[in-house]
Amino acid sequence: MTALPSGFRIGLAAPPWGIFNRPSLQLGTLKSYVEEKRLARVDTFHPYLPVAAAIGIDRYTGVARCGWAGEALFAPLLFPEMRGEAEKLFYESLAGEKQPVADFAELVARIEKTCAGWLSTLAMGEYRLFGFSVSFFQLLSSLYLARLIKQQRPELPIVFGGSSCVGAAGASLIEHFPEIDYLVDGEGEEALAGLCLFLEGERDALPANILSRNPVAKGEKPAAIDMDELPPPDYAPFFQEMRTHFPGLPFIPSLPVEFSRGCWWNKCTFCNLNLQWQDYRCKKGEKMAAEVLHLARTHESLQFTFADNALPPKETDRFFARMGEEDMDLQFFAEIRTEADPSRLQLLRRGGLQTVQVGIEALSNSLLRKMKKGITVMDIMSTMKMAGESRIRIEG
């Protein structure tokens, strides 16, 4: 892959409503990958931090937890005619919250002012491309920020990518929203690299998994990334932004990491979480251990969250056995399938697995069979019992 001139610079943003104390795994991974290939300088931004500073951390967390409430706050900024419906959705979404609900109009006004202020701090004239990572409840905020950028620099290409941009949903976004010039349908590393080359003049470099507003010739679909070849995500910009927006605030970061892509079971009839992945694959346990230790020492952080749908069984055992050898109080959250072996749960706990989310979609064997979960009610009950005995907390 051809290296681009050193002046080629792109910006990537993770908009609200990302988790306040957690950097974007997507941005950190893309930054590391593209810069290791020497294709561009990548500046990453977490605009959910200035929004949290503007409305308050507790209120931000409550809105982020409710999901639709966050989308409702950005809806009138994009669609003023829908303000009434958005306000109704906002209050309905927060009906179960214990803390007092803030005034909808006040929050919308603060968010509008904060977004304009955030944009004014960026060196927008220096970017050749600007992108948004769009996952759960980040769509309307991404569209609004993209619209603001286009008003300032209409010629600047904007790319969307992420789990909310896959398949027919992604195609409809680029069809209906002129703010989007390119959209990644699937994995982002090779797609972003190819888009950089394309914008620099290599006209046959645009990967087939990128949708474009204007018809252009496409190259081949990128091969699935070898997980062991990925560099560790770069989270340094997140910590710098934290110091800027919350100077002196003590906080405990939870660093997201990625052991695998896809799901090794991948048979559940209800699941659509793996649409963006081509094939299932995972990192070696030794590779994952080296990455976690690198991040822990770099950022002086002991808390980690696995982004996987389900941890890969064999390599997971190797990883947690290695973590158990470290003289560090590492703490992990992960999603797992049911586990019948108590000695294995004890191994994971010794390596730092403190909290899990187990897929408990039903307590009916007939319904579990229809879902093709591959487990029984007794498997679920056994996992819950053994997790408690191993001092592993179950969430969800």
Side-chain angles (χ1 to χ4, degrees), residues 85-103:
E85 290 298 315
E87 183 173 359
K88 180 182 176 182
L89 175 61
F90 173 76
Y91 288 118
E92 288 177 349
S93 300
L94 292 175
E97 286 292 297
K98 295 180 180 179
Q99 67 176 13
V101 177
D103 180 72

Side-chain angles (χ1 to χ4, degrees), residues 80-136:
E81 70 279 7
M82 298 298 294
R83 189 180 188 92
E85 290 298 315
E87 183 173 359
K88 180 182 176 182
L89 175 61
F90 173 76
Y91 288 118
E92 288 177 349
S93 300
L94 292 175
E97 286 292 297
K98 295 180 180 179
Q99 67 176 13
V101 177
D103 180 72
F104 176 79
E106 177 190 353
L107 288 181
V108 171
R110 286 193 188 184
I111 288 171
E112 183 177 23
K113 181 179 179 181
T114 301
C115 290
W118 170 75
L119 188 60
S120 70
T121 66
L122 305 187
M124 293 304 303
E126 299 182 15
Y127 294 122
R128 298 286 303 279
L129 173 69
F130 205 94
F132 290 90
S133 173
V134 189
S135 188
F136 301 113

Side-chain angles (χ1 to χ4, degrees), residues 187-203:
E187 294 186 46
E189 291 90 351
E190 286 292 326
L192 182 59
L195 180 56
C196 290
L197 292 170
F198 174 80
L199 294 175
E200 187 61 14
E202 296 192 20
R203 309 315 293 179

Side-chain angles (χ1 to χ4, degrees), residues 243-304:
R243 289 189 291 269
T244 298
H245 297 292
F246 298 94
L249 175 72
F251 82 106
I252 300 175
S254 177
L255 302 185
V257 287
E258 184 181 35
F259 210 146
S260 61
R261 291 185 178 178
C263 177
W264 59 267
W265 176 252
N266 201 31
K267 297 178 183 178
C268 299
T269 56
F270 58 86
C271 181
N272 68 345
L273 294 178
N274 299 292
L275 299 178
Q276 71 267 41
W277 308 128
Q278 295 186 49
D279 303 293
Y280 175 76
R281 66 268 191 210
C282 67
K283 296 174 184 174
K284 296 288 193 300
E286 296 80 3
K287 161 72 174 177
M288 191 72 254
E291 181 175 311
V292 163
L293 293 175
H294 164 77
L295 292 172
R297 289 162 180 154
T298 299
H299 302 297
E300 299 181 338
S301 177
L302 297 174
Q303 293 198 1
F304 292 85

Side-chain angles (χ1 to χ4, degrees), residues 78-79 129-134 138-151 153-162 164-166 168-185 195 209-215:
L78 275 169
F79 311 107
L129 173 69
F130 205 94
F132 290 90
S133 173
V134 189
Q138 293 178 305
L139 178 57
L140 296 192
S141 55
S142 297
L143 288 168
Y144 177 64
L145 291 172
R147 181 172 296 178
L148 293 182
I149 291 174
K150 280 293 190 180
Q151 290 171 357
R153 281 197 63 194
E155 80 288 354
L156 177 65
I158 289 182
V159 58
F160 273 35
S164 295
C165 299
V166 178
S172 68
L173 288 176
I174 200 167
E175 177 183 355
H176 293 289
F177 292 95
E179 296 86 358
I180 307 172
D181 298 289
Y182 301 97
L183 185 139
V184 177
D185 182 358
L195 180 56
N209 66 326
I210 289 187
L211 306 181
S212 59
R213 176 159 301 282
N214 299 314

Side-chain angles (χ1 to χ4, degrees), residues 13-29 44-50 52 57 60-61 64-65 133 135-136 138 233-242 246 249-258 295 299 301-309 331-335 355-357 393 395:
W17 298 87
I19 297 176
F20 164 74
N21 68 328
R22 187 184 302 175
S24 167
L25 171 64
Q26 295 89 333
L27 265 55
T29 300
T44 57
F45 305 97
H46 300 77
Y48 54 83
L49 294 179
I57 295 172
Y60 177 91
T61 302
R65 183 168 53 243
S133 173
S135 188
F136 301 113
Q138 293 178 305
D234 185 346
Y235 293 141
F238 169 81
F239 285 91
Q240 179 58 50
E241 289 174 89
M242 280 295 304
F246 298 94
L249 175 72
F251 82 106
I252 300 175
S254 177
L255 302 185
V257 287
E258 184 181 35
L295 292 172
H299 302 297
S301 177
L302 297 174
Q303 293 198 1
F304 292 85
T305 297
F306 281 105
D308 307 53
N309 295 162
Q331 302 171 29
F332 298 93
F333 164 85
E335 295 188 30
T355 310
V356 297
Q357 180 177 315
R393 179 180 176 225
E395 283 189 350

